[in-house]
Amino acid sequence: MAAASRNPKDDPAARILAAVRAIPPGQVAGYGEVARRAGLPGRARLAARVLSSNTDPQLPWHRVLRADGRIAFPEGSSGWREQCQRLRAEGVRVEGGRVRRTGEAADIDAALWAPPQPRRTRSR
């Protein structure tokens, strides 16, 4: 099959980029969450690699963070400063290069890989 006739749904990079475009302004997602939303669970590194080679200036790449909420660029670098600035412009609270996520916005990876919680039993 020729590359030009490939279905974008079969292209993992296209699916990752679509998942990034779907992150609403003022919200963030982890690389693992982006991969999961793209139908590629466990492929956080692929999501990072796809974003690192992005050339689309309209892609909201700045909304993607590490699983712990940190910016992936080295602290103080131009990319780090730009990502902080873009997130703050959307109303996201960034402190020391980190976005604290709570409640339902918490990273899905943390929810999936956290230690199991003890089961509660009902008393009668």
Side-chain angles (χ1 to χ4, degrees), residues 1-50:
M1 177 186 285
S5 64
R6 280 182 72 179
N7 183 344
K9 291 182 180 181
D10 296 334
D11 181 7
R15 292 169 29 199
I16 288 168
L17 294 174
V20 171
R21 285 185 185 95
I23 302 170
Q27 293 186 24
V28 295
Y31 290 102
E33 189 174 349
V34 166
R36 182 189 57 79
R37 289 178 183 180
L40 303 162
R43 303 294 307 272
R45 288 184 182 189
L46 176 61
R49 194 166 42 249
V50 168

Side-chain angles (χ1 to χ4, degrees), residues 42-111:
R43 303 294 307 272
R45 288 184 182 189
L46 176 61
R49 194 166 42 249
V50 168
L51 285 177
S52 73
S53 64
N54 171 58
T55 58
D56 179 1
Q58 300 301 314
L59 185 74
W61 59 267
H62 59 282
R63 298 179 188 148
V64 184
L65 306 167
R66 291 181 177 181
D68 62 1
R70 288 185 301 144
I71 289 174
F73 289 105
E75 187 172 346
S77 69
S78 62
W80 186 90
R81 289 191 307 269
E82 181 179 354
Q83 191 167 8
C84 286
Q85 180 181 22
R86 285 178 177 227
L87 289 170
R88 287 177 179 138
E90 292 185 355
V92 176
R93 188 173 175 183
V94 182
E95 295 178 4
R98 180 182 219 144
V99 174
R100 303 252 184 234
R101 299 172 70 193
T102 59
E104 289 183 23
D107 187 43
I108 190 71
D109 289 339

